[in-house]
Amino acid sequence: VQLQASGGGLVQAGGSLRLSCAASGSIFNIGVMGWYRQAPGKQRELVAVISSGGNTNYADSVKGRFTISRDNAKNTASLQMNSLKPEDTAVYYCNAHVYGLGRLYERDYWGQGTLVTVSS
């Protein structure tokens, strides 16, 4: 199973970016998918998560600005980021709780990370 994240880049404060994450491989289905971020010198933190049923949870710092969504049929998740701030600068990682074929196993997978830089 692989998670491929994309969509990072450089944007000015107040701008928008959309991150995408695609899971591929021997997948039965996926439970919670989410986005985390790690800024230089800081620990990785939760940004937003979404259940297979569409329930969402956001970090307080991004509520009202970021929106997470997913397409269960395509095993993808997206993060729409609006009103970006310099403090949003970080490497963003997607995460998925994957159930393998035949439900013989379940585990978390991480994408490779995509850099988001917000200039002031």
Side-chain angles (χ1 to χ4, degrees):
V1 175
Q2 290 186 328
L3 295 185
Q4 182 68 42
S6 61
L10 173 64
V11 64
Q12 288 189 330
S16 298
L17 281 175
R18 186 177 182 86
L19 305 183
S20 297
C21 177
S24 61
S26 300
I27 298 170
F28 176 73
N29 65 15
I30 300 177
V32 174
M33 298 186 77
W35 289 94
Y36 294 72
R37 67 187 180 187
Q38 187 166 17
K42 295 188 177 181
Q43 290 187 331
R44 190 174 298 188
E45 63 177 2
L46 180 148
V47 176
V49 292
I50 183 168
S51 71
S52 58
N55 293 318
T56 59
N57 191 30
Y58 296 91
D60 288 342
S61 59
V62 307
K63 283 181 181 177
R65 300 188 297 122
F66 291 10
T67 302
I68 189 171
S69 60
R70 66 186 286 172
D71 184 327
N72 290 334
K74 296 181 179 179
N75 290 331
T76 60
S78 296
L79 185 69
Q80 178 65 42
M81 304 185 294
N82 298 328
S83 302
L84 283 161
K85 304 175 181 179
E87 51 263 44
D88 294 318
T89 295
V91 177
Y92 284 70
Y93 298 89
C94 64
N95 172 272
H97 190 77
V98 175
Y99 295 88
L101 293 178
R103 298 184 71 95
L104 296 178
Y105 71 90
E106 59 178 286
R107 58 160 286 187
D108 280 351
Y109 287 89
W110 291 90
Q112 82 282 13
T114 184
L115 177 62
V116 172
T117 304
V118 184
S119 63
S120 56

